[in-house]
Amino acid sequence: MAEQAGIEGVPALPKLPAKLERQYQAMLAAMDREWPGTITDVSFEQLNQDQQALFNGTVTFGVTEEDMRQRIDLAWDEQNSTLATTPALPAWSHCSSRILGAGRHVLGDSICPSAGSWRLGWPWLTLKQVRWTGKGREPGEDESFVLHLEITPGIAADLRRAEREHAVDLTQTLFWSTAQLVHETAEPSYASNEEDGLDALCQSLNERGLRYLVPAEPHTLANWGDRLFVVQSYLSSESFKRRDTDSLAQAAPHGVVSYRARSETGADGRLVVVVTPVFSIPHEHRPVVDPSKIVPVFKGDVLEPPNISTLPELS
């Protein structure tokens, strides 16, 4: 398969410990059971309310959002002299999706001021890379017509596959952030005091290549939940940035390659132009979650100094 635009150079995710890998596969299975029930077919107007984006030629065909991000905190179990995380991991990384439904979406009265440029009155809309199929006649310059956007069942299936990629990405972000800490504290590990327990945790994470999870001040327990939330947020944002918005919309893996256009005569005798989007959404899921880009923030002497020459800081 050719390289996907916008996601070249993403390394393979670090290998999970066997127990965590089993939990990860179980969560993916739970996601595949539960996520399809969250999909809602919606209208063009419900997905496309950003007038500037429409003017720039960026049409939204699907959106996936986290329903609720569960914060995991670290605590010291005085009775058992060990560290513990609360609460437990969720059954799956809850998210829901809205997708442009199959069928005709009437976008309204339009004109074509120049070849390949389409303009709407509610608001302005530009469709880039429109290719005429030869069926019906092309509208003349500045001729008014009714514009329809057609989503075939095959295109709707492609959109579902694209949004599933985000659902998988959100699961991956959980397992290369919060779930790692849960795994580290799942088996009680006796320590003489809280500070020694935290030092041992920092050392273990460093040895496993997970230094990026350690907060700048790791001996303050509340900082761990904050750091995990920042890391998970960054990794989640990469899913949408690299699949949907990297560079121009047409260059992103989920972007429109082109639009096929044809025309017909409507019931009222007016010219109707029907445009159908063309995508190149891959069938093979390729990771975009890349924890190697996260700069460690811990500067203490328990761990080796981090290499921060080429990696971006998280805000």
Side-chain angles (χ1 to χ4, degrees):
M1 173 180 284
E3 289 287 322
Q4 295 176 31
I7 61 174
E8 296 91 337
V10 176
L13 287 166
K15 187 176 180 179
L16 293 171
K19 183 177 180 181
L20 202 54
E21 176 65 28
R22 290 193 295 271
Q23 293 176 322
Y24 171 59
Q25 294 300 329
M27 187 173 286
L28 285 178
M31 184 214 73
D32 276 331
R33 290 193 304 270
E34 302 292 336
W35 171 74
T38 75
I39 301 172
T40 305
D41 289 342
V42 297
S43 68
F44 184 89
E45 295 92 332
Q46 287 173 296
L47 279 181
N48 291 275
Q49 298 183 4
D50 186 339
Q51 296 190 10
Q52 187 61 48
L54 291 173
F55 180 77
N56 291 335
T58 302
V59 176
T60 300
F61 293 88
V63 172
T64 294
E65 299 169 315
E66 290 180 276
D67 294 337
M68 177 182 66
R69 174 144 343 134
Q70 182 169 297
R71 178 187 168 105
I72 301 291
D73 283 294
L74 188 63
W76 174 250
D77 183 343
E78 189 70 43
Q79 182 176 355
N80 297 305
S81 296
T82 189
L83 292 166
T85 51
T86 57
L89 285 177
W92 68 291
S93 188
H94 293 264
C95 59
S96 57
S97 300
R98 293 178 292 145
I99 295 173
L100 201 58
R104 291 272 190 102
H105 297 265
V106 180
L107 304 190
D109 291 343
S110 307
I111 60 172
C112 184
S114 60
S117 177
W118 307 83
R119 190 174 69 196
L120 242 69
W122 66 263
W124 294 81
L125 169 67
T126 302
L127 297 184
K128 299 178 180 179
Q129 296 174 301
V130 177
R131 294 180 171 86
W132 200 261
T133 64
K135 297 179 180 179
R137 69 175 182 84
E138 293 188 52
E141 185 174 336
D142 291 334
E143 178 183 359
S144 175
F145 58 89
V146 181
L147 184 62
H148 289 186
L149 177 66
E150 183 173 55
I151 303 296
T152 66
I155 292 173
D158 286 342
L159 296 178
R160 286 173 177 255
R161 191 169 70 252
E163 296 312 310
R164 182 186 179 279
E165 287 202 294
H166 290 306
V168 172
D169 291 341
L170 292 174
T171 302
Q172 290 177 340
T173 67
L174 180 66
F175 272 80
W176 274 268
S177 59
T178 301
Q180 297 282 353
L181 189 65
V182 174
H183 173 75
E184 284 283 336
T185 58
E187 299 296 331
S189 178
Y190 173 80
S192 58
N193 55 58
E194 179 181 311
E195 183 174 353
D196 287 349
L198 288 167
D199 285 344
L201 174 62
C202 291
Q203 192 65 45
S204 177
L205 291 173
N206 182 59
E207 291 171 355
R208 294 181 52 221
L210 301 170
R211 182 190 176 102
Y212 63 87
L213 295 178
V214 181
E217 298 292 339
H219 293 106
T220 301
L221 288 172
N223 292 344
W224 286 85
D226 294 341
R227 179 61 180 173
L228 290 174
F229 193 88
V230 168
V231 169
Q232 192 174 345
S233 297
Y234 170 78
L235 294 176
S236 296
S237 70
E238 285 293 281
S239 171
F240 303 101
K241 176 180 180 291
R242 304 197 73 173
R243 294 198 194 280
D244 295 342
T245 60
D246 250 4
S247 187
L248 297 175
Q250 283 74 19
H254 291 177
V256 176
V257 176
S258 63
Y259 291 90
R260 294 194 181 104
R262 67 183 191 276
S263 70
E264 58 191 39
T265 302
D268 59 357
R270 291 191 64 193
L271 181 67
V272 175
V273 173
V274 183
V275 293
T276 305
V278 178
F279 296 94
S280 60
I281 298 167
H283 286 268
E284 175 189 355
H285 180 90
R286 181 175 298 178
V288 297
V289 175
D290 187 5
S292 71
K293 290 185 176 294
I294 303 174
V295 176
V297 294
F298 177 63
K299 312 297 184 184
D301 57 6
V302 175
L303 310 178
E304 293 297 323
N307 177 7
I308 60 173
S309 60
T310 60
L311 303 180
E313 287 280 4
L314 297 183
S315 58

